[in-house]
Amino acid sequence: MIRVAVVDVGSNAIRLVWQAVDALGHVRDEGYHRYGLRLGTDAFSLGKLSRQTTQDLVAVFHEIAGLISEHQIDSYRAVATAAMRAASNAPAVVKRIKRETGIKLEVIDGEVESELSRRALVQAAGGVSGRTLLVDLGGGSLELERSDGLFRMSTSLGTVRLMKRYPELGAPMGRQTLLKMLDQVLQDLRSEVGRRGKVPAAVGSGGNLDALSRICPGGHGPIPMIDLERLPVKLVSIASMSVDERMQILGLRADRADIIVPAGLVVAALHRMFGVRSLMVPGSGMREALLNQQTASVEDVPSRARNLGVSKGFRKLGQAEKALRYVFEKLAPTHKQHAAGLGVLFEAQAVALARKQGLWVPDDGSFAGHALEAILASSQATLSRAMQKLSADEQSSIKLMKGMHQLAQRLAGVPASHWPQMYIDQGVLVLRVPRDSLLMRWHFTAAAKTMDLGLLFAHSE
């Protein structure tokens, strides 16, 4: 078990997240602390952090240092984004935090922030098409990227920044005023982004988007979505409320209630500009990517196989690795595993080939070793013996991993163009294959049974 943590110093708040992750990449314990210190108030109006804000920030870090020690954290990353980038005295503040609390704080640039968000969003959404818009809306910046790499940018359209730029957003407003503000935000967006073409779908992260997905929900899949068509009408209602009314009626915190209208205007402007039809909000972002980075480095399957003495069959191993990555990514919204889980699947693939070539690979008696035995079990008796060494929660995880391994074995034998879209929804494994695919329903019945899931198999339109 490894305990990892992330400190996210944003423009609207500071967050500490920690997780205890087992050898299969599953989160067994976690904690979350939020500190409502809005650094953007100083950074975007004064260009630096005031003496009082700096003292408050150092006090927060003293508490965070205590929590990191209390929870016996093995590894942590502390990062700061737009507000600290805008503060001229950030280097001095970072040095003071290190000197007084022992915590090393990194001020990351917009490109790094965008890349971290991209990794987390793609993983949490189960993969995305090349023309998907990836969105990270924070208090100080709006990060945009097309998933095929056509463009990536950091803009100044964060919610706290917009409140500073347009103070009228802080007061209740009527429909006409709101629509004028939407036109203004759209104009600002176009001036920063330029002409980028239409995209059919978007995936987003950030507390603002999480809140909007609850206030104006859309879609029926396993991942929360924002109803973009209904959002402008909903915004008229929200904008007419006072901050206290938003807190009472919508269940928002004070420091979310005052910026929810700017957040909604940015999303509505993205909808207009890019023609986005849907916006998924999987509840994952930069913090999750930083946590994942600390839990495992995933060595490829051929390297693992060579370490076991394997001398041939590497072409098939490469195909199997590609299939394992595909299945792991597609089912990520369900399994929610860190990269260590994919590493165990890679190890299982390497061990299977080693044993096929007559190499002896002993069970080392560890938790991960028992997991490998269960994943590779070819008989019910072998599976039962391996499962007896695991807890009920671990057995449930292994069933899902064994099923993913079975799915990948089937996919590795056919061209990638024939692979299905797949996800798990309400106890059913849903597979949609291209019309010309060589794959049939019966190819997947064993995997679905292993995972204790129903099976819905259909051809794509």
Side-chain angles (χ1 to χ4, degrees), residues 163-218:
M163 288 283 289
K164 290 293 179 185
R165 188 181 302 173
Y166 303 115
E168 58 266 40
L169 289 173
M173 65 183 73
R175 180 176 180 275
Q176 289 303 119
T177 305
L178 179 74
L179 293 178
K180 287 181 181 178
M181 289 309 308
L182 176 55
D183 289 339
Q184 182 61 60
V185 172
L186 179 59
Q187 181 180 327
D188 292 347
L189 180 65
R190 284 175 173 156
S191 67
E192 290 206 41
V193 174
R195 298 178 62 86
R196 296 291 176 179
K198 302 296 184 181
V199 294
V203 184
S205 66
N208 296 300
L209 299 187
D210 291 337
L212 287 171
S213 71
R214 295 190 297 270
I215 295 169
C216 190

Side-chain angles (χ1 to χ4, degrees), residues 54-244:
T54 300
Q55 290 175 347
D56 292 342
L57 179 59
V58 172
V60 166
F61 267 90
H62 274 295
E63 183 173 336
I64 288 173
L67 289 168
I68 286 176
S69 175
E70 176 186 338
H71 294 294
Q72 299 179 326
I73 301 302
D74 299 302
S75 171
Y76 75 87
R77 288 281 302 276
V79 299
T81 53
M84 289 291 279
R85 290 197 293 265
S88 60
N89 59 341
V93 173
V94 167
K95 288 181 180 178
R96 180 177 172 183
I97 289 171
K98 174 64 175 176
R99 183 177 66 252
E100 296 190 20
T101 72
I103 295 181
K104 178 183 177 182
L105 176 62
E106 309 166 51
V107 180
I108 60 174
D109 64 29
E111 186 172 341
V112 171
E113 182 180 359
S114 180
E115 172 60 19
L116 289 167
S117 296
R118 183 192 69 78
R119 292 180 194 173
L121 286 174
V122 171
Q123 166 93 359
V128 295
S129 69
R131 293 178 61 229
T132 301
L133 183 67
L134 305 178
V135 180
D136 182 12
L137 177 58
S141 64
L142 168 68
E143 316 294 333
L144 298 174
E145 180 180 358
R146 214 171 95 156
S147 55
D148 58 7
L150 191 62
F151 64 82
R152 178 193 295 175
M153 62 189 63
S154 178
T155 78
S156 65
L157 296 181
T159 51
V160 176
R161 263 199 169 118
L162 282 175
M163 288 283 289
K164 290 293 179 185
R165 188 181 302 173
Y166 303 115
E168 58 266 40
L169 289 173
M173 65 183 73
R175 180 176 180 275
Q176 289 303 119
T177 305
L178 179 74
L179 293 178
K180 287 181 181 178
M181 289 309 308
L182 176 55
D183 289 339
Q184 182 61 60
V185 172
L186 179 59
Q187 181 180 327
D188 292 347
L189 180 65
R190 284 175 173 156
S191 67
E192 290 206 41
V193 174
R195 298 178 62 86
R196 296 291 176 179
K198 302 296 184 181
V199 294
V203 184
S205 66
N208 296 300
L209 299 187
D210 291 337
L212 287 171
S213 71
R214 295 190 297 270
I215 295 169
C216 190
H220 304 286
I223 300 176
M225 300 176 68
I226 299 174
D227 188 333
L228 298 178
E229 296 293 339
R230 193 163 58 93
L231 181 59
V233 176
K234 191 70 176 178
L235 276 177
V236 171
S237 173
I238 297 170
S240 68
M241 303 177 190
S242 67
V243 170
D244 288 342

Side-chain angles (χ1 to χ4, degrees), residues 341-352:
L342 182 58
V344 171
L345 291 174
F346 284 1
E347 189 73 24
Q349 193 64 39
V351 169

Side-chain angles (χ1 to χ4, degrees), residues 315-334:
R315 181 177 179 183
K316 287 186 177 180
L317 280 182
Q319 294 170 338
E321 177 178 320
K322 184 178 180 181
L324 284 167
R325 287 185 184 276
Y326 182 83
V327 173
F328 193 83
E329 178 185 85
K330 291 299 179 185
L331 299 187
T334 297

Side-chain angles (χ1 to χ4, degrees), residues 197-370:
K198 302 296 184 181
V199 294
V203 184
S205 66
N208 296 300
L209 299 187
D210 291 337
L212 287 171
S213 71
R214 295 190 297 270
I215 295 169
C216 190
H220 304 286
I223 300 176
M225 300 176 68
I226 299 174
D227 188 333
L228 298 178
E229 296 293 339
R230 193 163 58 93
L231 181 59
V233 176
K234 191 70 176 178
L235 276 177
V236 171
S237 173
I238 297 170
S240 68
M241 303 177 190
S242 67
V243 170
D244 288 342
E245 288 172 329
R246 294 171 196 169
M247 293 170 62
Q248 182 178 358
I249 297 171
L250 303 177
L252 298 174
R253 295 186 308 270
D255 60 354
R256 183 72 66 199
D258 66 341
I259 58 173
I260 196 65
V261 171
L265 290 174
V266 171
V267 173
L270 289 171
H271 175 46
R272 283 194 184 183
M273 180 172 169
F274 288 97
V276 176
R277 295 191 294 271
S278 63
L279 174 55
M280 292 190 294
V281 187
S284 185
M286 181 182 71
R287 290 189 295 276
E288 286 70 27
L290 289 168
L291 287 167
N292 201 15
Q293 278 184 353
Q294 298 175 75
T295 57
S297 56
V298 181
E299 186 181 33
D300 61 37
V301 180
S303 296
R304 291 170 184 264
R306 288 188 183 93
N307 292 337
L308 295 172
V310 170
S311 58
K312 58 183 178 179
F314 294 107
R315 181 177 179 183
K316 287 186 177 180
L317 280 182
Q319 294 170 338
E321 177 178 320
K322 184 178 180 181
L324 284 167
R325 287 185 184 276
Y326 182 83
V327 173
F328 193 83
E329 178 185 85
K330 291 299 179 185
L331 299 187
T334 297
H335 65 65
K336 300 184 186 302
Q337 287 174 270
H338 285 256
L342 182 58
V344 171
L345 291 174
F346 284 1
E347 189 73 24
Q349 193 64 39
V351 169
L353 181 59
R355 290 176 175 174
K356 191 173 182 179
Q357 294 184 9
L359 299 171
W360 184 57
V361 184
D363 178 358
D364 62 6
S366 67
F367 168 48
H370 299 329

